[in-house]
Amino acid sequence: HIRYRHRVKKAAWSSERAAWSIEAERGSSSETAACTCNFVLMCAGYYNYRQGFTPEFPGRERFNGPIIHPQEWDEKLDYAGKRVIVIGSGATAMTLVPALAKTANHVVLLQRSPTYVVSRPDQDRIANFLRQVLPTRWAYAITRWKNVAFQQRVYRRTRTDPEFVKKRLLGMVRDELGPDYDIATHFTPRYNPWDQRLCLIPNSDLFEALRAGRASMVTDQIDAFTEKGIRLKSGRELEADILVTATGLNLAILGEAQFWVNGKLVDFSQTWSYKGLMYSDVPNLVATFGYINASWTLRADLTSQYACRLLNHMVARGAKQVTPRLRPGDANMQQRPWIDGFSSGYLRRAMHRFPRQGDREPWVNPQNYRSDKAMIRCGAIEDGVLQFTSPLAARSGDPVAAQLPA
């Protein structure tokens, strides 16, 4: 029952009918498809995929060559033998540089400030061995436990002893690039590990490109674009045939769809986050938001499991509607941002549009797998916050099933 090329534009909830009415644009046309359902599980991610984020660069119109954002990549772009500058220091830039360097004349990674990077192999030798000697289900379970435990242990160490982790990460980079490389300038951020995302370099491909001289790092601020390339604040000018602005993405809330509840447009910035997956006073809606400091799918799994538990509980209870509502004692909670303690620019630019989290469960979004397992997987559905109701108009009818025209 999958409908491709449908962009959800609006979802309107009716408490009288206990149903969502959803409108979607079909394909690239203005044709509208409609459906109704009783429950919505949003899995739209948190990025705006229509266009990327690009800062204002003075003199952009002066550059004689192509300027391209990775979100709008042209597969026909010919960079073989060309001089390329990739602007950015995040995962996209780290991925592009070694790939482009295979055929480009030279690739410069131009960054305003460094990012922590770590190289890991793209295959898990322990997992491959376990698959050879154990049943698949056991091998998967052990591998998952191993990876989750390692990930969480490293993250906790960045909180309790950031200097140790910093020294270890920079030492690994030094082992890759040698003692003469300027690690302090190009690979030593101003923040502690995991205050922003850590970039994974598969199989040391970025370091290999740097060692071979096919790529180089420049850490400086952009003064302006010129006809031949980029002039830096230091006065240095970098010449290029192609500029790639790997400057990030904009965040989107619930796929940028409008949500209405009983005729009123929902302003999610005025709602409270319930366990990081539902919203105060918004019925029958669960949204998937993964981890920014671990694998996204870990929390996606927890969210899906919770949605199933909740739906089964509603069926057993005979309820058509479930709504998180503040308890009297929650009214004066201290407000905190949806993602707390993370300094990345793409998050700070958008946090004012996201729901708030409070200072107590279940009005929190901890971004911690151990805490989430206890709260989401093991926590009681009936917690005094979720209110279960069955409007009169919906009690006698059949369950409202999602239907989209083929």
Side-chain angles (χ1 to χ4, degrees):
H1 301 288
I2 300 173
R3 298 292 181 264
Y4 294 100
R5 297 180 60 79
H6 283 68
R7 180 185 296 277
V8 175
K9 304 295 290 184
K10 179 181 178 181
W13 171 262
S14 165
S15 290
E16 183 180 355
R17 297 174 52 241
W20 287 103
S21 298
I22 298 175
E23 296 178 6
E25 287 183 353
R26 193 197 303 268
S28 57
S29 68
S30 57
E31 183 183 358
T32 299
C35 73
T36 57
C37 62
N38 174 249
F39 203 96
V40 169
L41 174 60
M42 287 294 293
C43 305
Y46 73 148
Y47 285 129
N48 177 342
Y49 292 103
R50 292 180 294 105
Q51 59 182 9
F53 171 75
T54 303
E56 290 293 330
F57 292 120
R60 180 187 176 101
E61 70 285 349
R62 296 170 58 191
F63 182 64
N64 291 325
I67 302 174
I68 187 168
H69 191 286
Q71 190 63 24
E72 299 154 7
W73 193 263
D74 183 358
E75 294 295 338
K76 297 179 181 178
L77 180 68
D78 181 14
Y79 51 85
K82 304 291 180 65
R83 298 167 300 172
V84 183
I85 297 177
V86 177
I87 304 169
S89 60
T92 303
M94 301 291 179
T95 304
L96 277 172
V97 168
L100 297 173
K102 292 177 181 178
T103 55
N105 175 277
H106 188 78
V107 182
V108 173
L109 192 157
L110 173 59
Q111 58 182 6
R112 181 178 55 187
S113 59
T115 297
Y116 288 107
V117 300
V118 61
S119 175
R120 301 290 293 172
D122 63 3
Q123 293 197 29
D124 189 328
R125 288 181 295 177
I126 295 177
N128 291 342
F129 170 75
L130 291 175
R131 278 198 292 267
Q132 294 175 4
V133 299
L134 292 175
T136 300
R137 188 178 183 87
W138 291 10
Y140 172 79
I142 294 172
T143 301
R144 179 185 174 92
W145 175 86
K146 172 185 72 72
N147 290 339
V148 170
F150 175 76
Q151 210 168 47
Q152 292 296 298
R153 186 168 66 252
V154 170
Y155 181 71
R156 285 196 300 271
R157 195 68 183 270
T158 67
R159 305 298 91 186
T160 60
D161 194 354
E163 282 301 316
F164 171 83
V165 179
K166 177 179 180 179
K167 183 178 179 180
R168 176 67 178 142
L169 291 173
L170 297 182
M172 293 168 69
V173 175
R174 192 169 288 107
D175 291 342
E176 293 276 1
L177 298 177
D180 297 330
Y181 199 90
D182 192 355
I183 304 297
T185 298
H186 302 307
F187 288 98
T188 306
R190 296 187 294 263
Y191 53 86
N192 286 327
W194 272 125
D195 284 353
Q196 295 186 22
R197 278 185 181 274
L198 188 71
C199 281
L200 177 68
I201 308 299
N203 302 320
S204 300
D205 58 0
L206 174 67
F207 300 132
E208 181 185 344
L210 293 172
R211 289 194 301 264
R214 300 191 306 271
S216 58
M217 305 278 290
V218 174
T219 304
D220 205 333
Q221 296 188 48
I222 295 173
D223 182 49
F225 285 16
T226 66
E227 291 83 356
K228 296 181 179 181
I230 296 176
R231 184 174 66 247
L232 304 175
K233 293 285 188 180
S234 63
R236 180 183 176 187
E237 183 163 351
L238 304 176
E239 294 189 359
D241 303 303
I242 300 171
L243 300 181
V244 180
T245 56
T247 47
L249 293 166
N250 293 307
L251 299 193
I253 302 173
L254 296 172
E256 298 187 291
Q258 286 189 347
F259 281 77
W260 297 72
V261 172
N262 297 324
K264 183 178 180 180
L265 179 64
V266 178
D267 179 356
F268 283 99
S269 69
Q270 299 304 306
T271 66
W272 293 87
S273 169
Y274 176 83
K275 298 189 177 183
L277 49 79
M278 296 179 76
Y279 309 96
S280 60
D281 299 323
V282 181
N284 290 33
L285 172 66
V286 169
T288 302
F289 193 100
Y291 292 116
I292 58 173
N293 54 15
S295 171
W296 181 273
T297 54
L298 286 176
R299 202 171 200 282
D301 285 352
L302 291 176
T303 301
S304 298
Q305 292 166 5
Y306 183 84
C308 292
R309 287 180 62 209
L310 182 58
L311 289 167
N312 289 334
H313 185 82
M314 292 174 70
V315 171
R317 207 179 190 277
K320 300 291 186 180
Q321 178 173 316
V322 57
T323 312
R325 298 197 190 279
L326 294 181
R327 298 161 296 194
D330 297 330
N332 297 318
M333 280 190 298
Q334 178 185 351
Q335 297 184 23
R336 295 187 296 143
W338 169 257
I339 301 294
D340 204 8
F342 213 69
S343 60
S344 296
Y346 73 100
L347 287 171
R348 289 184 296 176
R349 288 195 302 268
M351 278 302 98
H352 65 283
R353 297 189 288 112
F354 277 74
R356 304 161 288 182
Q357 62 169 316
D359 56 10
R360 71 203 66 167
E361 292 186 6
W363 306 108
V364 292
N365 180 29
Q367 288 286 298
N368 180 288
Y369 184 61
R370 180 178 295 179
S371 300
D372 280 336
K373 276 204 304 183
M375 181 175 65
I376 297 174
R377 180 182 290 171
C378 303
I381 296 291
E382 296 272 5
D383 59 0
V385 172
L386 294 183
Q387 296 188 8
F388 295 88
T389 55
S390 290
L392 289 173
R395 287 179 186 172
S396 58
D398 293 330
V400 182
Q403 295 293 333
L404 271 175

